Amino acid sequence: MGYHIEQVANMNDKCGEAPTWDATGRRLLWVDNESDLVHEFSTDTGRIAVLSRGLNVSGIALHRGPGLVFGGATGLHLWLGQDNYRTIASEYQGETLSINDLIAGPHGRIYAGTLFWGPDGMEKPGRLYLIGGDGSVRVVEEGVHLSNGLGFSPDDRTLYYTDSSRRLISAYDVQADGGLARRRVFVRVPDDEGLPDGLTVDADGFVWSAQWYGGQVVRYDPQGRVALRIRMPMLQVSSVTFGGADLTDLYVTTAGHSWRGGPAPPGYDFDAPNIGGPLYRVRLDVRGRLEHQADFR
């Protein structure tokens, strides 16, 4: 089955990531985390602009109050405008919160994963943190190799979490206090496919996972079985989210800087002409869900 795949923007992103739909503003936000840029695309006007520059951002959450919540190499911040932000949390027990992806939970808290990855691979394991509205920080998972996509099931009882270099998407029960329990393997991606990266969950509880090196987006049913594959024009497909007036547009980010530090599938061409960079939109007959908003006072 074919899908209409439309290039929405080509900002030549070195590492396009963190697509976030703002239904109130009718805009799609996303980042180039290697260039310290946050972009916005207005679906009403088609205008594409730089929203923020100079602050490293790898994850975005909408905020119940003014501004946006940004997570990146220097921690978690409440961003109110260019060069105007308040740091919510920057370290935990002396370790920098080097955030690579995040998601807001149903009570306004942030789940944020850290990574410590250099040109020679993992420097040390990361963690998944739960950051409260008062700025409190607690560890909810440890031993993470390459922290990436996060998503909640429609009933908010399950959190999905990607460890890319281990080719693993895990599922957890979400407890009343935000803690996580009963970790289990949701998907283990085969070695001959790309690495699982950013993800989102649709209204039917199916998980959509971008495959870095894989040139595709994969939809998994709630039991972790492959339900659909959408082949993309670029190889480094980095993340996905639903947007648009009826939440049936799948936005897909890609990355143009050929990343040689990860476990690519056999025969992968790091010098291929279609590594990545543009932002895409795929029209679907599947409906997504609005993500929760953070709540920091």
Side-chain angles (χ1 to χ4, degrees):
M1 181 178 181
Y3 293 90
H4 178 62
I5 301 173
E6 173 190 5
Q7 180 177 298
V8 173
N10 189 1
M11 308 299 286
N12 296 312
D13 292 328
K14 294 179 181 178
C15 189
E17 276 279 12
T20 304
W21 175 247
D22 176 8
T24 301
R26 298 170 66 89
R27 60 179 178 166
L28 190 283
L29 309 174
W30 81 103
V31 311
D32 180 355
N33 63 25
E34 287 198 16
S35 301
D36 296 343
L37 296 173
V38 179
H39 307 298
E40 66 174 344
F41 163 63
S42 169
T43 56
D44 286 343
T45 66
R47 179 176 179 266
I48 299 166
V50 173
L51 184 68
S52 171
R53 65 176 72 244
L55 177 65
N56 183 260
V57 181
S58 295
I60 300 173
L62 302 181
H63 189 236
R64 294 177 186 173
L68 298 162
V69 174
F70 288 168
T74 59
L76 191 73
H77 312 285
L78 179 58
W79 182 91
L80 298 169
Q82 180 65 42
D83 301 321
N84 179 16
Y85 62 88
R86 172 171 64 87
T87 298
I88 298 166
S90 61
E91 65 174 29
Y92 178 78
Q93 295 183 347
E95 182 172 273
T96 299
L97 295 179
S98 180
I99 295 170
N100 190 53
D101 208 345
L102 59 81
I103 193 169
H107 300 291
R109 298 172 293 213
I110 289 286
Y111 292 85
T114 58
L115 64 76
F116 302 93
W117 199 272
D120 298 321
M122 184 180 67
E123 297 172 347
K124 62 179 178 179
R127 294 166 167 168
L128 183 63
Y129 291 90
L130 180 61
I131 303 174
D134 58 356
S136 60
V137 181
R138 60 184 279 213
V139 178
V140 292
E141 180 61 294
E142 299 192 73
V144 183
H145 289 196
L146 206 171
S147 180
N148 257 308
L150 293 146
F152 286 96
S153 61
D155 62 7
D156 293 323
R157 295 180 180 179
T158 302
L159 179 69
Y160 300 99
Y161 181 34
T162 302
D163 191 337
S164 293
S165 61
R166 295 174 65 196
R167 298 180 165 274
L168 183 65
I169 303 175
S170 297
Y172 301 81
D173 290 348
V174 181
Q175 300 175 315
D177 66 351
L180 303 178
R182 206 172 69 86
R183 173 183 174 178
R184 63 266 188 201
V185 174
F186 176 66
V187 169
R188 192 178 298 278
V189 177
D191 291 345
D192 59 355
E193 295 187 17
L195 302 183
D197 201 329
L199 66 79
T200 193
V201 183
D202 66 29
D204 295 320
F206 286 62
V207 175
W208 297 73
S209 174
Q211 277 200 7
W212 187 283
Y213 297 139
Q216 64 179 336
V217 176
V218 184
R219 186 190 193 213
Y220 299 99
D221 72 15
Q223 288 71 48
R225 298 171 299 207
V226 174
L228 178 70
R229 297 180 189 270
I230 299 178
R231 304 291 178 180
M232 299 298 298
M234 300 295 163
L235 294 174
Q236 289 184 167
V237 182
S238 53
S239 195
V240 290
T241 199
F242 283 93
D246 54 4
L247 295 176
T248 56
D249 293 338
L250 186 73
Y251 287 94
V252 184
T253 54
T254 66
H257 181 193
S258 186
W259 189 57
R260 300 170 186 263
Y268 180 79
D269 183 3
F270 289 97
D271 298 310
N274 62 328
I275 291 295
L279 170 73
Y280 293 93
R281 177 170 54 197
V282 186
R283 306 286 191 177
L284 298 172
D285 56 2
V286 174
R287 191 173 186 274
R289 302 164 53 245
L290 293 176
E291 300 289 357
H292 297 296
Q293 297 183 355
D295 189 7
F296 292 99
R297 303 300 180 188

